[in-house]
Structures are given as C-alpha cells and as structure tokens.
Amino acid sequence: MLRKIIKSIFIISLAFETYAEVKELTILHTNDLHAHLFPRIAPWISESRKIGGFANLATLVKQEKQLNPNNILIDAGDYFSGPYISTLTEGEAVIKSMNFLGIDAACIGNHEFDHGWDNMLEQIQKAEFPILNGNLFFEGTDQLVWDNPYLILERLGLKIGIIGLHGKFAFYDTINFKMTEGIEARDEEEYLRKYIEELKPITDLIILAVHQGMPGRQSTVGLTDVERNLYKDILLAKNVPGVDIIVTGHAHQGTEKALVSNGTIIVSTNATATELGKLQIKYDTEKKRIVSHSNELITIFDDELEDDPDMLQEITFWQEEVDQIAKVPVIPLTKKLVRSYGKESNMGNLFADAIESFDERIDIAVVNSGALRQDIEAGTITKGDLISAFPFPNTVVMTKLKGSQVRKIFNHAAGMTNGILQVSKNAKYSFTPREKVNDIWIKGKLIDDNSEYWVAAPNFVTQGGDGYWEFQNSIEYQDSGILIVDVAENYLKNKDVYEPEYGERVQIIR
Ligand code: FE
C-alpha cells in the first residue's frame, strides 16, 4: 500500500514537473571591453599574474557554451578606445576580433563614437554579431542611426527579447559633441516602455543591454560603492517595470552579487575584459518569471586558460598591422606613470605640462582625468604607450578666460564625479570633493577674477564634454587642430629622459 502511495506521488510529481517546468539558463555578460585584446598586468587584481585578453575570453566563452549550448553572451557597449590598437584602427581591430567572441547581442556605448558617428557606423557594419540600439536618432527625424532596436532569441523553448539602448545623459555627458553632430539621444525610459510593449506579448523574458549612468572609473584603484555607481540602472528598473534582466555598462562597476530593483536583476562587470560575468537563472514556465538567480564574475587569468587559436590569429594580425607605428621609442622613463581619477597623478602632470608648453601664451593647461586610460611602465615610452595612455583623437584648444570663468570651471570639476582636473605646473588648486574649489593659484599667485588667462585643454572639455560648458563662453577660442598625443610626443622628444613628478598641484580639503 505504502509503495503504491509513494509510486503515485512520484507519478503526480512527475506530471506536475512537466507541467510547471523550471528552465535553467545562463547569461554570460561583458561590458566596457575597451579594446583590451591582449592580457596584461592589472595591479588591482594581481601584481604578477596577467589578466584578460580576447583569446582567453574567447576560450572561456567557448567552454561555457560547451557546458551548455543554450548560454547567451551579451555585451553592454564601449568596445572601442583603450590600448592603441583601437585608436590606430579607429575601432576596426576591435570589431573584427569581437567576431570571434561568440556574442549573441551587444549594444552601442559612448566610446564607439570616439572617431565620429560615421566611423562608428562603418565599423559596426563589420560585426558578424547583432548590435542593438533603439534610441539614437538622426536629429529631428524618426530614423534610427542604427536601425536594430531589439531581437528575439529562442533558448530551451523560451523566447527571449533583447533590447539595446544608450542612456541619454551618458550620451551628452561623455561624448565630444563634434563626433555626434546630427545625432540625438532620446529618453531611454520612453523607448524602453515602447519596446517592452512590443515584445511583451511575443516573448517569455526581456533583457536590456544598456550603456548609461556614472562614467567609468579611471583610476588604478577606485570606489566600489556598487549601488551608487549603478544608481541609474536601479532607477530605470524602478521606473519601467517589465524588464527581467539588465546587463549594464559605462560605470565599470562589477556586481559580484546581482542587484535587484523592482524585480529586475541588474548585472555588470568591472570592465576592460578582466572578467566574464555569469548570471544563472531559473525560469518557471508556469509562474512565467525568474524564480531564482545567482551571478558570478569569473576573473580571466592568463595562466589558467589556453588561447583560442582563431582569436589569437586575428588579434596577432592586428597587432602586427599597428606595431610599425606603436613600437617607435620616444624617451626613457625613470618611474612608472600612473593615472588617478580623484587626485593629482604624475601622468596627468605629464600631459598637462606638455599642453602648457605647446604655446608660450598659455598660462595653464588642464586635462580631464577620464582622458587618461592606461599607466606606462618605467623603461622606455613608445608612441603606442602614449596613445594607450591618451587614446582619444583630441586636439589642443587655447581659450582666453576671465579669472571668474576659470573659477567656474574648477568649481564644476570639484562638484562632479567624472574625475578631477589634472593641471600643469603653472597651476595649483585646493578643493572640497563634491562641493567647490577653494583656492586657485596661477604662476604662484592667487587667481584674480577680473584678469584674463590663457587656459589650454583637450577639445573634449572645451566643447562642453563632462559638462565644461564655460569654455564655450571664452573671450577667445583657438583650436590648434594638433593632436594631444603628438604634442606629448614632441614635448618628450625635447628631453633626454623623463622623470615623472608630483608637485602638490592639487590639494584636497575635507
Ligand atoms: Fe562608457
């Protein structure tokens, strides 16, 4: 009798199982790969073991997809701009290499515009994987710049809608507006609602790949306040119900544990191809929702993974293409050049000093910390090192400003989170983070609100990037058209050796 009961319970539960099935799915995710095609030392992870690289990443993705062919790989944008290989090929090397990663869907990030929107379009057409965006339009038209807002994939019998968007704020905040002339970003919330409405009736799950929020940290060591850095995603999920999963980029903020906002799971990695995100979900077909999930960030250790041969061949080809330019030695370097987001850095000092020396009229030069993307090891600085350190095709702009305007600019810098202003040796300032600038000295004297000064900076900032609009009100404005990397190269070539320096140029008052 008992056996009979057990047997019937077993049969009932079996029947129930097939009726209410729980399906297990893995969403692999990356973001802000930033052209890190090759493994390198990332000191915040390990001082001795190399990390990352596309050939290792491709192997890891393949292993995961062999484990479960239903896995999906989603990238949340910013594949361009990082090591010189991207700058020198205007992103082509990156897109062509990404073709070997096994990406199922990617969205567009702000850095894809670093060489102009027309170049962006030209390059992403070479992608053999779907790239999605649904809220960037040609100004004043209903024509999407890249007409592919979403796609539907089928896995385990589930229909999965994947939408791609770019945060409106991030678009205007972090792209040099000359690069996006004629293009506008429209409200991501509005378009997310629209696409959800279209997808909801025909899909089981909706995933959003989005590039938005707080700009990526650009320090060797940075903040890890996850919720603060991903606040924009938390808010988006709160304001727009209906998304099951958000894969986000831009903040360079990894989620060891996925965040959950209004029922939406939010994941991201710490960027620059140092890790692969792996979100595992259980989807209940009866409840029609995800019933459990877990996320992990798998660090890509070079010594643990074999290079994927196809990828290795591709990235080696591109490396050889650019080496002729990149390997040219510029000058011996006595100490490592390090960048910093929240304080004075010896790398910031180098670039600011180079710009200051560009024209003798210049009183001071400033550089946005976010422009500096890679440290340079002691030894010999090569042209490639300089491009990797400052990968953007920014030019030197000279502006004549009143002292009060200079103060306004420094106040703006002090109040925001996009990194401090790095300054040349003729400048010194003290500031209270997130509040205001205290004192500014130019050539050893306190700034005079009514005097006029020549301030030089990368055209990214003088054109209003990072919100530095005050440069647009300058008394005189001269764009030299000369690339900052070339200015830095010439500055260094005039010396026998370069000794990095700190000069107490920036004082933080708390
Ligand atoms: Fe970004």
Side-chain angles (χ1 to χ4, degrees), residues 32 34 76-78 109-112 166 170 174 211-212 214-216 218 249-252 373:
D32 302 273
H34 283 301
D78 269 8
N110 54 301
H111 282 294
E112 275 65 86
H166 197 299
T174 48
H211 199 86
Q212 67 167 1
M214 194 157 309
Q218 293 305 329
H250 198 51
H252 297 196
R373 311 295 278 203

Side-chain angles (χ1 to χ4, degrees), residues 17 20-27 68 71 155-156 158 160 204-205 244-245 263 265 278-295:
E17 288 268 311
E21 211 181 336
V22 171
K23 299 190 174 185
E24 293 184 23
L25 193 70
T26 296
I27 291 98
N68 184 355
N71 287 355
R155 293 286 192 277
L156 302 166
L158 297 175
I160 303 160
D204 302 296
L205 266 174
D244 296 287
I245 298 161
I265 299 164
K278 183 178 176 183
L279 172 68
Q280 292 171 285
I281 59 162
K282 288 188 178 152
Y283 181 88
D284 187 314
T285 54
E286 193 189 27
K287 292 178 181 151
K288 291 192 186 311
R289 62 179 176 84
I290 298 169
V291 286
S292 74
H293 70 270
S294 71
N295 187 56

